[in-house]
Amino acid sequence: MNYDPARHHRQSIRLRGYDYTQAGAYFLTIVVRERECLLGDIVAGEMRLNDCGRIVAAAWPKIPARFPHVTLDALIPIPHPLHRILVIVGK
C-alpha cells in the first residue's frame, strides 16, 4: 500500500534539521504490516515469541557486528509493534 496523505494522517515526529546519524540513543518503533501481531502472543502476562518473533530476536543482537558504531540497549518484547533502543556511539 502506498502512502496516501488523504488516508494516512501521519506526521513525522523527527526534528527538522536534526542529524540522526550523530551519536545518541534512539527509540525505534517498527510497525508490522497491517499492525498484525506476527511476532508472538502474550500468554499469562508473558511474551511468547513465535517463529517470526524468534527470527527477529536472533537478528537484533547481530546489528553491532554489521554496524560497529552501534550498541544495543533496551528490548521491549511485545507482539506488535517492536520497540527497541539503539545507541549510536560514533561514526
Side-chain angles (χ1 to χ4, degrees), residues 31-75:
V31 178
V32 176
R33 182 176 176 245
E34 307 245 342
R35 301 190 183 278
E36 293 181 63
C37 296
L38 298 179
L39 305 173
D41 294 298
I42 303 292
V43 177
E46 182 180 311
M47 178 63 191
R48 301 275 172 92
L49 297 175
N50 60 20
D51 289 342
C52 290
R54 284 188 286 278
I55 290 169
V56 171
W60 179 250
K62 295 177 183 178
I63 290 173
R66 180 165 177 162
F67 303 99
H69 58 284
V70 171
T71 61
L72 305 175
D73 201 319
L75 164 69

